[in-house]
Amino acid sequence: MAKLLVTGGAGFIGSNFVHHVLGTTDDTVTVLDKLSYAGNLASLDGLDERRLRFVRGDITDAELVGELMPEHDAVVHFAAESHNDNSLHDPRPFLDTNIIGTYTLLEAVRRSGVRLHHISTDEVYGDLELDDPQRFTETTPYNPSSPYSSTKAGSDLLVRAWVRSFGVQATISNCSNNYGPFQHVEKFIPRQITNALRGERPKLYGAGANVRDWIHATDHSSAVLTILEKGAIGETYLIGADGEKNNREVVELILALLGQPADAYDSVTDRAGHDLRYAIDSTKLRTELGWEPEFRDFEAGLAATIDWYRDNEAWWAPAKDGVEAFYAAKGQ
Ligand code: NAD
Ligand code: DAU
């Protein structure tokens, strides 16, 4: 039984991870989350309060982080500014949370000796051509494109430096695009599902040829638990579930699952610097640590995600109008 400190546990993947930990282990969890626009306490509703404590606070607050750290066996670091489109509009919060926040946690684990698992993204590797037979591996050179991905790349490099120079007990994982419940409506899949549910047309950037490698958030959670249990200190593990799809295919599938015509979407202004394709080779995680994904049927996972958004309008509706106004101002 471990005592976990989970940063960003009120966000999309962090809350899915907390549900997974409380549902599959005897561990206890402290969530440290500042409840930015992306955090939502309702995502933790219904969980066992004897095993879950919530602390509202900022990971850049060194005093708070220093107080919390020694009470735990490990910190799982999800907290981040996570949206590429926001990073193109206003990069500064990405530097504060993703760089200074990670630095603050590293200094705290350096002092306390607590194990750190750092959650990162495949976007640190840049993008691939559509017909490139290679996928990203742990040895692919870093080549980030956006303010978001460059700050995540910077945070990964800080973790590696603190492991080598100070002996910090840390691991890193870089995962592909997640889908599932509790994802903010600013992101691609929830935006298109909630548009279609409200009778508005999904919005595809450009021609929709860009490819993302989809993984269910529960599979991301099980992979992180596996790395916490069996991962080697100092190592990086790529997490992916062989889920490559282009954006047009995803929109057409959402429309089909909702019984709407396949062409009932709008093509809108493309994202600046838009990465073409991500693809993960997760052989190391599978062969060295024995992890396998459970959600192998994307259509079934997407149908369940649509059901969740249909059943939980009260969770997403308060954010929807503001998000659409932000996009509309950019022609998206
Ligand atoms: P999210 O935006 O849904 O949630 C981020 C959470 O962090 C929110 O609850 C927010 O309140 C909190 N937070 C932000 N700044 C904070 C600060 N300074 N102090 C404390 N809390 C703060 O993000 P997500 O999509 O769940 O992503 C979680 C992590 O996973 C990020 O590190 C992201 O880079 C990584 N990741 C995401 C994906 C994906 O597909 N979404 C894929 C791979 C990796
Ligand atoms: O690859 C992992 C990354 O996946 C994570 O590190 C990020 O935190 C996460 O947000 C995600 O980044 P993307 O930029 O790939 O995700 P997003 O949901 O913003 O967009 C997915 C694709 O859909 C991308 O090609 C842009 C496109 N898109 C997005 C929106 C919001 C559209 O076509 N229309 C839209 O309305």
Side-chain angles (χ1 to χ4, degrees), residues 100-237:
I100 301 300
T102 302
Y103 156 75
T104 306
L105 288 167
L106 283 165
E107 284 294 84
V109 295
R110 180 184 167 192
R111 282 192 300 273
S112 60
V114 170
R115 161 84 185 276
L116 168 74
H117 181 69
H118 175 64
I119 303 292
S120 193
T121 168
D122 57 0
E123 297 193 12
V124 300
Y125 301 114
D127 61 355
L128 298 162
E129 294 299 325
L130 294 179
D131 60 357
D132 191 335
Q134 304 294 320
R135 298 187 287 172
F136 299 138
T137 71
E138 288 77 5
T139 57
T140 303
Y142 275 36
N143 187 27
S145 311
S146 73
Y148 162 67
S149 54
S150 60
T151 58
K152 291 298 292 188
S155 68
D156 293 7
L157 298 181
L158 292 176
V159 175
R160 290 184 184 188
W162 261 243
V163 168
R164 174 153 175 170
S165 299
F166 304 123
V168 156
Q169 303 288 295
T171 40
I172 299 174
S173 55
N174 298 79
C175 188
S176 61
N177 284 64
N178 286 219
Y179 74 99
F182 304 116
Q183 187 169 28
H184 196 276
V185 287
E186 68 188 356
K187 302 296 194 321
F188 177 57
I189 285 182
R191 185 181 184 208
Q192 314 316 334
I193 292 174
T194 55
N195 273 6
L197 287 173
R198 290 213 314 191
E200 287 156 20
R201 289 163 73 88
K203 310 290 183 204
L204 205 50
Y205 293 176
N210 304 62
V211 169
R212 297 294 182 264
D213 189 354
W214 295 100
I215 180 172
H216 196 279
T218 301
D219 280 335
H220 190 175
S221 297
S222 69
V224 170
L225 267 187
T226 301
I227 296 166
L228 272 174
E229 285 162 13
K230 302 186 203 163
I233 296 301
E235 290 294 314
T236 289
Y237 299 90

Side-chain angles (χ1 to χ4, degrees), residues 20-46:
H20 188 74
V21 168
L22 295 185
T24 62
T25 74
D26 295 324
D27 297 349
T28 61
V29 171
T30 303
V31 167
L32 171 61
D33 196 300
K34 80 170 183 182
L35 297 182
S36 75
Y37 81 93
N40 192 339
L41 258 189
S43 305
L44 301 172
D45 277 354

Side-chain angles (χ1 to χ4, degrees), residues 286-308:
R286 295 180 194 220
T287 55
E288 292 186 12
L289 306 189
W291 173 83
E292 288 293 334
E294 279 179 27
F295 289 73
R296 294 165 191 274
D297 181 342
F298 181 70
E299 184 171 339
L302 190 61
T305 304
I306 291 173
D307 288 344
W308 188 87

